[in-house]
Amino acid sequence: PMDASSESRGALVVFEGLDRSGKTSQCGRLLSYLEGLGHPVELWRFPDRTTSVGQMISAYLSNKSQLDDHTIHLLFSANRWEKRSMMEAKLKAGTTLIVDRYSYSGVAFSSAKGLDFEWCKAPEAGLIAPDLVLYLDIPPEKAAERGGYGDERYEQLEFQKKVAQHYKLLEDSAWKIIDASRSLEDVEKQVKETVSEYVVSCQKGKPLSSLWS
Ligand code: T5A
Ligand code: NA
């Protein structure tokens, strides 16, 4: 309501979920769907491995480097902060952003290692709050069966079970839980229905707000 541009801003739609829950597959399908409807839309992902911070994260995830748990947590957060102003500019210009992982991944994974939950949330405060968080809900055992886990650091069943418990602590009113144990097509249908209902029609005109502050 503060300025005319906020009336036609894009929506910030975040996908979250355990490793192999199907986020990247569904992000691609939603992108095609919204493009087909003629919406200005872009697909982003975190970690964004293309920046210099992102390259440090990528080396850590592939076990090519070792970092203190606090240090890698802050790098993941810094990787979101380095994109914040571009994110705001895109949203204000009317582009909807589909984002594959965001601050919830940051907190759920680091706190699952044993770091203090509030300490993990603190550096995320002030990033842009999503309009909609699609949580792809799947039993960790079922996710582990999908194509098998690769060699990345967090792709282990016992750890993923802890991540799932910490994700649950982060659920808020922006979250919609999607049953991600169903087929790709069934999940896609749930995603489309949710996005159409909550974002495309409802969120226009709502000002951007800050996460956890
Ligand atoms: N991380 C991330 C942090 O610790 N802190 C942070 O702040 C952030 C942002 C890398 C790691 O970093 C951690 C979390 C991660 O451990 P990433 O690069 O997003 O994060 O991880 P990726 O390995 O790229 O992706 P995921 O493992 O999370 O997989 P997706 O995207 O959830 O799943 P997707 O779509 O690639 O599908 C996986 C497989 O399952 C099949 C697909 O075809 C594919 O083979 N599949 C299905 N099969 C049957 N039924 C369905 N419904 C299916 N949907 C997908
Ligand atoms: Na992915």
Side-chain angles (χ1 to χ4, degrees):
M2 287 185 294
D3 60 291
S5 61
S6 68
E7 272 157 31
S8 58
R9 73 169 175 86
L12 180 56
V13 179
V14 166
F15 279 79
E16 287 284 0
L18 298 181
D19 292 10
R20 300 294 184 271
S21 56
K23 297 176 298 301
T24 299
S25 306
Q26 295 301 330
C27 281
R29 287 166 182 236
L30 180 60
L31 177 72
S32 305
Y33 174 66
L34 293 177
E35 281 174 344
L37 292 176
H39 288 282
V41 58
E42 289 183 14
L43 177 52
W44 288 24
R45 68 176 329 176
F46 291 109
D48 178 338
R49 302 188 193 215
T50 65
T51 70
S52 51
V53 172
Q55 284 162 23
M56 292 174 73
I57 294 170
S58 192
Y60 173 82
L61 287 172
S62 57
N63 293 304
K64 293 191 185 94
S65 72
Q66 307 304 322
L67 289 170
D68 169 77
D69 289 344
H70 300 81
T71 308
I72 184 64
H73 180 75
L74 295 171
L75 288 177
F76 273 116
S77 187
N79 188 228
R80 283 182 281 278
W81 276 101
E82 65 185 340
K83 294 284 167 180
R84 190 201 176 286
S85 59
M86 180 62 78
M87 182 178 272
E88 182 173 354
K90 292 272 182 189
L91 291 167
K92 285 188 167 168
T95 301
T96 284
L97 300 180
I98 301 169
V99 181
D100 192 347
R101 294 192 185 278
Y102 198 53
S103 301
Y104 312 93
S105 285
V107 177
F109 281 78
S110 292
S111 62
K113 292 172 168 175
L115 297 190
D116 179 75
F117 190 71
E118 293 304 323
W119 186 90
C120 290
K121 282 176 80 175
E124 307 295 322
L127 290 170
I128 300 172
D131 295 293
L132 180 64
V133 178
L134 294 158
Y135 182 74
L136 300 192
D137 193 28
I138 188 169
E141 292 80 2
K142 179 138 191 186
E145 288 166 9
R146 288 190 176 164
Y149 286 140
D151 297 328
E152 286 219 321
R153 192 177 282 267
Y154 297 141
E155 295 174 351
Q156 294 165 15
L157 181 56
E158 288 312 308
F159 183 68
Q160 295 285 322
K161 287 181 183 171
K162 284 189 195 156
V163 173
Q165 290 167 359
H166 287 83
Y167 260 129
K168 289 210 165 62
L169 302 173
L170 292 164
E171 186 178 344
D172 63 31
S173 61
W175 282 44
K176 294 293 160 194
I177 310 294
I178 304 288
D179 179 0
S181 59
R182 296 164 67 182
S183 70
L184 275 164
E185 292 70 27
D186 281 356
V187 177
E188 180 181 3
K189 189 160 170 280
Q190 292 178 74
V191 166
K192 279 182 189 167
E193 284 169 4
T194 306
V195 168
S196 303
E197 185 180 348
Y198 285 90
V199 176
V200 177
S201 58
C202 303
Q203 298 296 334
K204 301 290 165 79
K206 185 183 157 214
L208 291 175
S209 61
S210 292
L211 189 64
W212 298 333
S213 54

